[in-house]
Amino acid sequence: MISDRQVRLLNAIITEYIKTAEPVGSVEVVKKYNLKYSPATARNEMARLLELGFLDMLHTSSGRVPTPMAYRLFLDQIMEEEELPVLQEVAMKQRLWPHRFEFEKLLRQAVTTLSENIHEAALATTNDGYITTAGLVNILDHKEFWDIDVARTGLNLIDRYELLEEIFNKSPHTRDVRTVIGVEIGIENMENCALVFTPFQAGNKSGYVAVFGPSRMRYDTIIPAIRYSKSLIEELGESW
């Protein structure tokens, strides 16, 4: 659907927007990411990506921002995950180990450790309606949540088991770690937000471990962290 050059440009724009939360202009993206063409060429390609629905502009004179469609392409075809450092894996397991005989405490420690490592809001649910959360204050680090209506809607979402289950269950089961972005969440005010989650099965307990934040999350580090949290819950909670 789009050319290799447009893919590389889109990757640079998404990477920069994740870092800065500021609309990205052609001059800065060409210079900062050492693109092998002029800012004028970048502007033309950005105009085409805008027409195709991969970019949006907040104001006429501003740069461009990625759309949920761009993030979906990024997740499915462009992004390369980072490996969790071994020391981080060991530290996470050490934090969970003392709670392996009390499942709710195990889940609580899992989401607390996950949140502390990725600096986002984390949560876990179980099949009997239990929810535990950690790091909710982290959403306020992102300007998307400085809008009180967005913050209120997001906090309500991660406190409502039935809403979370509806989102988890309707998502395509194409990957072990799944993501719903913006309008895919299906709730007003969540257009610039995302949920990243994966199911777990530990003994007779099942549920999801998830991260909630802005659409411009560091998916390359968050996805492997969630995956490892799931593996710890399943390993340490297998007797339940």
Side-chain angles (χ1 to χ4, degrees):
M1 185 176 180
I2 62 176
S3 68
D4 289 342
R5 182 163 70 182
Q6 289 168 338
V7 168
R8 289 191 293 271
L9 176 60
L10 192 60
N11 185 30
I13 292 170
I14 292 172
T15 301
E16 182 66 11
Y17 188 65
I18 286 174
K19 292 178 180 177
T20 68
E22 296 294 335
V24 181
S26 57
V27 174
E28 61 187 299
V29 76
V30 167
K31 182 178 180 180
K32 189 167 184 177
Y33 292 89
N34 196 29
L35 301 179
K36 304 301 182 182
Y37 43 83
S38 68
T41 298
R43 280 194 295 275
N44 290 336
E45 295 288 24
M46 290 166 76
R48 179 59 178 156
L49 290 169
L50 182 71
E51 292 175 359
L52 292 171
F54 291 101
L55 295 179
D56 197 1
M57 57 181 181
L58 305 181
H59 307 286
T60 304
S61 59
S62 71
R64 304 296 180 259
V65 298
T67 64
M69 184 175 170
Y71 288 118
R72 178 56 57 204
L73 178 69
F74 178 73
L75 285 165
D76 292 346
Q77 299 184 32
I78 302 174
M79 184 194 74
E80 294 183 4
E81 292 183 20
E82 292 189 5
E83 290 189 11
L84 282 184
V86 173
L87 288 178
Q88 183 176 329
E89 291 184 349
V90 171
M92 291 175 72
K93 188 168 185 176
Q94 287 177 336
R95 293 278 300 276
L96 271 63
W97 181 260
H99 306 286
R100 63 193 183 280
F101 300 121
E102 299 177 88
F103 194 73
E104 289 186 1
K105 289 185 178 180
L106 176 68
L107 280 188
R108 172 65 183 169
Q109 191 60 58
V111 298
T112 299
T113 304
L114 175 60
S115 175
E116 289 175 357
N117 276 281
I118 62 174
H119 308 292
E120 301 287 357
L123 63 135
T125 67
T126 64
N127 53 356
D128 54 5
Y130 175 72
I131 303 175
T132 185
T133 62
L136 300 187
V137 70
N138 288 321
I139 69 171
L140 298 180
D141 291 336
H142 306 297
K143 68 178 187 178
E144 289 87 346
F145 296 97
W146 297 350
D147 182 320
I148 188 63
D149 291 329
V150 175
R152 180 185 292 113
T153 303
L155 291 173
N156 178 66
L157 167 62
I158 58 182
D159 196 40
R160 296 276 301 279
Y161 176 80
E162 68 280 5
L163 285 179
L164 289 168
E165 283 295 299
E166 181 180 350
I167 293 169
F168 294 156
N169 291 330
K170 74 180 180 182
S171 68
H173 296 180
T174 56
R175 293 176 178 267
D176 62 332
V177 179
R178 309 162 197 168
T179 308
V180 288
I181 306 170
V183 295
E184 296 173 355
I185 297 175
I187 299 175
E188 188 178 0
N189 295 324
M190 293 288 93
E191 291 80 6
N192 294 311
C193 303
L195 266 171
V196 186
F197 56 94
T198 188
F200 68 81
Q201 180 74 50
N204 64 358
K205 298 283 190 179
S206 63
Y208 291 87
V209 59
V211 168
F212 174 72
S215 301
R216 55 182 184 86
M217 284 192 280
R218 283 287 311 275
Y219 297 105
D220 57 341
T221 58
I222 288 171
I223 288 175
I226 290 177
R227 183 182 293 115
Y228 186 64
S229 296
K230 166 189 174 165
S231 71
L232 288 177
I233 292 169
E234 292 184 336
E235 176 188 348
L236 300 179
E238 63 181 353
S239 63
W240 286 84

